[in-house]
Structures are given as structure tokens and as C-alpha cells.
Amino acid sequence: MAKERVYLFDTTLRDGAQTNGVDFTLADKLAIAGMLDELGIDYVEGGYPGANPTDTELFGSDHKLKATFTAFGMTRRPGRSASNDPGLAALLAAKADAICFVAKSWDYHVRVALETTLEENIASIRDSVRAAKASGREVLLDCEHFFDGYKTNPQYALACAKAAYDEGARWVVLCDTNGGTLPNEVETIVGEVVKTIPGDHVGIHAHNDTEQAVANSFAAVRAGARQIQGTLNGLGERCGNANLVSIIPTLKLKAEFADRFDTSISDAALQKLAHVSYALDERLNRAPNRHAPYVGASAFATKAGIHASAIAKDPATYEHVLPETVGNRRKVLVSEQAGKSNVLAELERIGIKVDKDDPRISSLLDLVKERETIGYAYEAANASFELLARRTLGKVPNYFDVEQFDVNVEQRYNALAQRVTVAMAVVKVKIDGETLISAAEGNGPVNALDQALRKDLGKYQDYIKGLKLTDYRVRILNAGTEAVTRVLIESEDEAGDSWTTVGVSPNIIDASFQALMDSIIFKLVKSGAPA
Ligand SMILES: [Zn+2]
């Protein structure tokens, strides 16, 4: 029997942007959309054009995504015509493949919050869906407060959904906006809805206020819904949205769903899931949740003991799925063997061939453990790990020595009598016995140091010409007087390749210097610069 299709709709960039403390830049949005597209998500909702400058800019240009790029916005305002509503006009002008409208479906909200009649709200849904269809877009309708509305006035909630479906909306999405609905209620209500609207046109948008957004999403699918909306790592307002990072592997790996449904996520893409989850947290400068299902660092970690010895005999004894299927790793804590296999797998991935019994592997493992204890994060800093590995295995030339550097920050009045802060750095580098001294100003001490360091590297200058820093992130690791600073630097070169390096020190300049040096040396190794 042919499998049915369940569609995945990601709203990390729209609903996820409501997360307390999250503020996406345009670059963040583009990078995250790219990750989602690589993963193979069906729909990527980019934001709310017209609502803020970032989203307006995002929807101002074309994006070459395989996913259906979706703009979000409101249906026409009550009392206005569809052709005379600036909000709707902005939405129709957005460069997007699909438009997802949000409309009220709870009669109480229509009267109290929208201050209009129940009929006018339905007319607004009809007109807006019609206008978006006429513009050639695929149309979705998010029915806000659908479940709460359904409980008090099922006829009206359903009439809102039906109006959109009748006008040709591809999807009618039932939203548990306040997040308080329980799985059995979701299953019952969705079961009723699909008697009127075919399930392959019904979506679920669950919030996590009782920590059951994932369970509610599956309850809806059981009852017949065929689109799940959610966010990466469950980002979202209050307690978050349904977490796609948990939903995707459950759909793909658990027989109840895997036997019945196809998704757009390939097995190969599933293996990138842990990385995508981690990369999102790094981009947001949030500490990843070690205990996140499937993808957390501890999701397949077992302390040495009876569990560990059973896992060594057969992993299935204490694991519900194989960690590799989601790109995670089995970790048996305090076990030399497990750590060694992690390192060997990593070396193979970056193309370093080494015998598995080579004693230098143990030295590298010790070094990684020792350095991670003091704050280095090699999982995030792929280039620093590669350099550490190559150095331990004796394969990195000593291109140059930084003999000395000096960074100076000065606050003073400029000619316009404004207080300005100016940073200047001087770097003394020795290459082939020759000393080169460079000085540079920057908008801050790290910027000045970076400029000076890369100003004159003699015969290596050509190799680093195309190198640029694309991101700089700082985290203070442990509070109090013991605090150390971890700096992660993301770099890019002319080939479009990017890599991340790490530095750790009680001194932020020193930590930055380490990460900058690693980035330059990694680029020289990558380019095959001669020693
Ligand atoms: Zn929402």
C-alpha cells in the first residue's frame, strides 16, 4: 500500500522569532533558511513582511530554496476591501511562493479582540484567500485559537476553516495558540474537522505550554491531519512551539508513523539533524540542551557500569534508536574506548588517515578532553579540532611566529568634541627569520588585532587575501572570579567555504587571538601554503 505524505512546515523564522532573547538578523534568517532547505523541510516560513525592516528586506528579493518559501500575515482588516488594505498589499507584494494568513476562529476573540461581527470575519478570510490565490500563490490559513474556539462554538470555528478551504486554500492549519489543549482533545477535535475538510488539507500548529506540543502534533496526525508546523529546537514564545527536531526522527524512525507516512526528509538529511540543532544554538549563542531528545549530547550517553557493558554487547539493549541515524553519537562516559572511536570517526570525516592503534590517537583524545574541561568546544570549532589533530599527528608546518602583539584602546575627544573610543594594534611577526611589523586601527581591540595580524604576512599574504571573518561570538563560561571567556570565530574564504575556530582564556583579547591564529593557519593548511 502506498504511503501517505506528511508535510513539514517550519516557522522558526516567524513564530520562533518570538522567543524571548532571540533577535534574528537578515544574515541569521538566510543562514537558517539554508539549513532548513538542506534538511529538506517542505515549507519555510520566513517572517511577516511589512511588520519589521528585516522581514521586509527578506521578502524583497528572490530566494533559491527548494522549500516553499512562505510569507505570513493577517487577513484583510474588517471593514476594508481586499484591494484597499496596506497589510494585505505588502503580503501580496512579497517574494514568496506561498502566503500563510492568520485569522481568528474563536467567536469570543472575533467580538472582543477584533471588535467585528462573525460574518465580517469570515468574509475577510474569503476575500484574503481569494486575493492570494489570484496572485498565483499557494495559500494557507492559520486558524488562531482553533481548539479553544471549537470547544465553545464548534460551528463557528469550523466555518472559518471551511471558508478558507472552499476558496481554495491548500492548507487549513488548526492552531493551539495558547498551548493548553491536551492530546486526547486534539485527536477528538481534529477527528471531527476531517469529516468536513479532507485531512490532507489540514495542518496542526501546537504550542508547548503543557509540554505536549510534540504529542499534540502526533495526535493530530493520528486523527488525519497531514501537515505539522513547528520550529527547530522548539523555539517560540513562552514555552515554545512543537519541536521539529523531535518530530522528524519520530516520524522517520518509529514504525507507527514510518510504516504509514513518507516525509520530505531523506535518511541522509536525517543524519544532519543533530548538527542542524547544534548549529542553530551556536548561531543564537545559546547553550545547547544536552538532554534534548535524539540530538542532545547526552541523548545517547551512558555512564560506565552495567548499562555500558550491555551496550557494548548490543546497543539495542539501552537505546531506542541508533544514534547515527540522527547524526548523534553513542557516548559511554569514562570509557577510553568510546572516546577513541569518536575521535577516529572525526578524523575519518576530515580525511586524516591514521591507524586505529596509533598511540598518538590516545594523546589527541587526552588533549581534547583536557582542553574541553577548561572550556574549548571542539564540536563547534571544526577547524580548531582539525588543527589540533593535525598538530598531534605532526602535520602542521610552522608558517610564522607572532613574537609580540600590543593592543591599545583609547577614549578621547575628536575634532568635533565627541567622545570616541579608538583601538590600535601592533603585531610583530617572524617569517623565515625576517621580522615584519604591522599596525592597524579597528573599531574595537579584536578588530584592530585582526587587521594588524592579517596586514602583512609576507609570502603568505596571497593565501589569506580572500579570508574574512563572518561571525564573532563570546561566551563567559563560569560566573564569578573564575570566569573564563570562550571566543568562537567563523571565517569564510573566496571559495565560499566557512569554518569555525575557538580560543579560551580569562582574557578576551587572548582568547580572540587564539581563535584568529587558528583561523589563519587553518586557511594556510587548506590552501596548501608551503612551509
Ligand atoms: Zn504560533
Side-chain angles (χ1 to χ4, degrees), residues 351-411:
I352 300 179
K353 286 192 180 59
V354 61
D355 188 86
K356 70 176 171 43
D357 298 318
D358 191 318
R360 291 175 303 177
I361 299 288
S362 299
S363 318
L364 175 60
L365 183 60
D366 289 344
L367 206 54
V368 167
K369 281 181 181 165
E370 198 178 294
R371 291 170 72 87
E372 288 197 334
T373 314
I374 57 172
Y376 287 84
Y378 288 108
E379 175 119 23
N382 57 338
S384 288
F385 173 80
E386 185 170 335
L387 284 180
L388 190 70
R390 289 189 186 277
R391 285 196 178 106
T392 312
L393 303 168
K395 287 174 189 164
V396 177
N398 189 26
Y399 299 106
F400 61 91
D401 288 307
V402 175
E403 293 206 311
Q404 194 183 332
F405 72 77
D406 181 45
V407 181
N408 182 39
V409 180
E410 186 183 85
Q411 197 177 72

Side-chain angles (χ1 to χ4, degrees), residues 51 72 109 371 382 409 429 440 449 527:
F72 172 90
H109 262 266
R371 291 170 72 87
N382 57 338
V409 180
V429 182
L449 182 61
S527 309

Side-chain angles (χ1 to χ4, degrees), residues 11 14-16 18 72 142 175-177 205-207 229 237-238 240-241:
T11 181
R14 201 274 300 169
D15 230 2
Q18 305 301 318
F72 172 90
D142 274 3
C175 301
D176 185 26
T177 309
H205 176 110
H207 279 262
Q229 298 203 343
E237 204 170 15
R238 307 187 311 272
N241 286 54

Side-chain angles (χ1 to χ4, degrees), residues 77 111 124 133 176 184 267 274 290 296 349 501 531:
R77 273 186 280 170
R111 280 191 299 261
S124 156
K133 282 285 287 184
D176 185 26
N184 60 320
D267 294 347
R290 298 188 64 84
R349 205 183 54 75
T501 53

Side-chain angles (χ1 to χ4, degrees), residues 215-234:
N216 280 341
S217 303
F218 287 121
V221 170
R222 276 188 195 106
R226 293 294 177 259
Q227 186 198 89
I228 301 176
Q229 298 203 343
T231 59
L232 290 177
N233 295 348

